[in-house]
Structure formats: C-alpha cells, structure tokens
Amino acid sequence: MEAQQGNPMSMLFIFIIFGLIFYFMIYRPQAKRNKEHKKLMSELTKGTEVLTAGGIIGKITKVPEKGDVIVIALNDKTEITINRNYIAAVLPKGTIETL
C-alpha cells in the first residue's frame, strides 16, 4: 500500500485561506480600534467630559503638552491625575450635570 501524499499546492492554499481569515477577523478590527483610540486621545482638551476605563466620570481640567497624564475634576473640590490611555470615551457636553 502506498501512503497518500497531500498536494503541496493545496497545503499552500489552506495556509493562505487561514492567513486571510486571521487578517480580516482579528488583525484588521483591532487596528481600526487602535486608530480610533489614538484619534480620541489627540482630541482631548480642557473642559471635555470623559469616562475612564475604571468607570469614573469627570471633566478634564489640565492636559499637559508633554507627558501621558491628564487631570480630571470629579467635582468642585476633587481632582485626580490619570494616564491618558485610560480614557475610555468622550461624553456629550452636559452629561455630568444630568447625573
């Protein structure tokens, strides 16, 4: 009996198909999310209302030119300093007053 050999071209075709699936299902959506997050980070300005990854809602009071931190006011007396990468979303103006 002879062992059945797979066609090398069919194996190459299967690897190409898996590569395309990986690209369109995993890599491309992640790259798109990263691009949107970088755009969000570049648009942060003083007075912007934000939601952090930890669930804290506040208004940006200071955005230093250099460095990766921003200062967020939680209320009139309390401010916190966080890494700007932990901003999850920018909220519409007036969100804090409605809470």
Side-chain angles (χ1 to χ4, degrees):
M1 287 183 90
E2 202 175 304
Q4 190 174 8
Q5 295 278 331
N7 186 352
M9 290 303 285
S10 67
M11 288 299 289
L12 180 63
F13 182 72
I14 290 172
F15 282 127
I16 290 173
I17 295 295
F18 278 124
L20 289 173
I21 290 171
F22 176 79
Y23 176 77
F24 285 107
M25 300 280 294
I26 298 171
Y27 178 76
R28 191 169 177 218
Q30 183 64 35
K32 186 177 179 182
R33 280 191 294 273
N34 286 343
K35 184 178 177 183
E36 290 171 357
H37 190 70
K38 283 183 182 182
K39 182 180 178 224
L40 174 79
M41 294 300 108
S42 68
E43 295 174 349
L44 295 178
T45 59
K46 183 177 178 180
T48 304
E49 296 177 9
V50 294
L51 172 68
T52 68
I56 297 172
I57 295 175
K59 188 180 286 189
I60 297 176
T61 57
K62 294 177 191 168
V63 182
E65 289 291 323
K66 295 183 180 181
D68 290 335
V69 298
I70 58 172
V71 179
I72 297 177
L74 303 179
N75 55 34
D76 294 338
K77 299 176 185 177
T78 309
E79 288 186 341
I80 59 171
T81 303
I82 66 166
N83 188 311
R84 70 171 52 226
N85 291 327
Y86 288 102
I87 300 296
V90 173
L91 302 173
K93 289 264 187 210
T95 301
I96 294 176
E97 285 113 25
T98 61
L99 298 177

